[in-house]
Amino acid sequence: MAKNDLKVLGAWPSPYVMRARISLNIKSLDYEFLEETFGSKSQLLLQSNPVHKKIPVLIHGDKPICESLVIVEYIDEVWPSSPSILPSHPYDRATARFWASYIDEKWFPAMKGIAAAQAEEARKAAIEQVAEGLALLEDAFQKTSKGKDFFSGDKIGYLDIAFGCFLGWLRVTEKMNGIKLLDETKTPGLAKWAHKFCADAAVKDVMPETEKLAEVAKIITAKLRGAGAPSK
Ligand SMILES: N[C@@H](CCC(=O)N[C@@H](CS)C(=O)NCC(=O)O)C(=O)O
């Protein structure tokens, strides 16, 4: 058993699961990774997260903690470090939480919309929405990074984790649609940030390879579009 008795219920392609794993890596915490089978839910998952029945769940001792961003905050509070994952100033914390919520509630759903779109017009509208979101996030990056590598400054922090976990899916979306979303001319800060984020020691072993993720994306896309529905 690992020293801190930590388990993560998850699956390697899940961006939300990645948030928990990156946070544990930042704090150099060992954990057992319990991989859920795609398309089914283990008894442990159902009893650990009876409300949402979703991954990730962090189990600390015998206590389950659900919801990826709640998990990130929990890890940061239980194992404090310098710098912390959450910004130290209340205003910076509020700003980071604001953008994380924007990413989960607006930006990523728009990216899923690209895959789900059946008609070309709907696909173009979703791409446009994602690009507009990236322009907003570029602006947020310029303001919060203050010329440093990450949203949080010199080291990866809360907003880096909240957004960076979607980079694998962003690359897959680019590849499957023959488009460039993170553009060096339109979003130069984010393009550089993405390279640094993926190369970071806390991230590189949990960021899935684009090719491998693309295989999962094909299955999910078919599900989103309704299996067998004619694609327009
Ligand atoms: N808001 C949740 C989202 C988690 C989530 O959507 N997880 C997906 C895997 S990527 C899941 O468990 N899906 C199974 C389901 O929806 O039944 C979080 O941040 O943890």
Side-chain angles (χ1 to χ4, degrees), residues 192-203:
K192 245 198 221 159
W193 162 82
H195 284 297
K196 300 246 175 183
F197 181 82
C198 293
D200 191 273
V203 175

Side-chain angles (χ1 to χ4, degrees), residues 134 137-143 145 147-151 160 163 182-197:
L134 287 174
L137 286 160
E138 169 74 19
D139 194 46
F141 178 78
Q142 298 298 346
K143 285 184 182 137
S145 65
K148 307 254 172 82
D149 287 345
F150 299 108
F151 280 93
D160 297 287
F163 184 30
L182 262 197
D183 187 299
E184 277 83 3
T185 50
K186 288 191 187 137
T187 54
L190 291 183
K192 245 198 221 159
W193 162 82
H195 284 297
K196 300 246 175 183
F197 181 82

Side-chain angles (χ1 to χ4, degrees), residues 26-232:
I26 287 175
K27 305 284 182 176
S28 304
L29 292 163
D30 289 333
Y31 62 94
E32 195 181 341
F33 188 50
L34 302 177
E35 187 106 26
E36 287 287 310
T37 310
F38 188 67
S40 71
K41 292 172 201 280
S42 71
Q43 202 47 45
L44 184 58
L45 173 61
L46 296 174
Q47 78 195 38
S48 305
N49 189 357
V51 176
H52 297 300
K53 305 174 179 70
K54 288 187 179 189
I55 49 171
V57 178
L58 174 71
I59 305 180
H60 184 196
D62 58 359
K63 294 189 189 75
I65 301 104
C66 305
E67 283 294 312
S68 59
L69 293 175
V70 176
I71 294 171
V72 174
E73 295 208 23
Y74 178 82
I75 293 169
D76 201 33
E77 284 182 18
V78 176
W79 294 277
S81 59
S82 183
S84 53
I85 292 178
L86 264 295
S88 54
H89 193 281
Y91 181 76
D92 296 338
R93 272 205 298 279
T95 306
R97 288 184 178 124
F98 168 83
W99 284 112
S101 144
Y102 168 77
I103 287 160
D104 278 7
E105 284 166 28
K106 297 269 182 215
W107 183 78
F108 189 58
M111 199 158 75
K112 275 206 269 186
I114 300 178
Q118 308 238 14
E120 185 53 21
E121 223 169 278
R123 196 180 73 97
K124 278 196 179 145
I127 292 172
E128 186 60 32
Q129 238 182 310
V130 170
E132 279 169 15
L134 287 174
L136 293 174
L137 286 160
E138 169 74 19
D139 194 46
F141 178 78
Q142 298 298 346
K143 285 184 182 137
T144 63
S145 65
K146 302 183 180 90
K148 307 254 172 82
D149 287 345
F150 299 108
F151 280 93
S152 297
D154 288 320
K155 294 223 165 114
I156 284 177
Y158 184 78
L159 185 49
D160 297 287
I161 298 169
F163 184 30
C165 70
F166 291 116
L167 286 171
W169 286 98
L170 187 87
R171 286 187 187 137
V172 166
T173 306
E174 288 183 329
K175 188 180 152 76
M176 289 175 82
N177 290 274
I179 51 172
K180 194 101 183 92
L181 291 165
L182 262 197
D183 187 299
E184 277 83 3
T185 50
K186 288 191 187 137
T187 54
L190 291 183
K192 245 198 221 159
W193 162 82
H195 284 297
K196 300 246 175 183
F197 181 82
C198 293
D200 191 273
V203 175
K204 61 181 194 311
D205 293 338
V206 294
M207 179 63 73
E209 285 166 27
T210 310
E211 299 296 324
K212 216 174 142 197
L213 201 54
E215 291 308 309
V216 179
K218 280 181 204 155
I219 301 168
I220 294 175
T221 301
K223 259 194 174 176
L224 285 172
R225 291 183 186 170
S231 150
K232 285 173 209 155

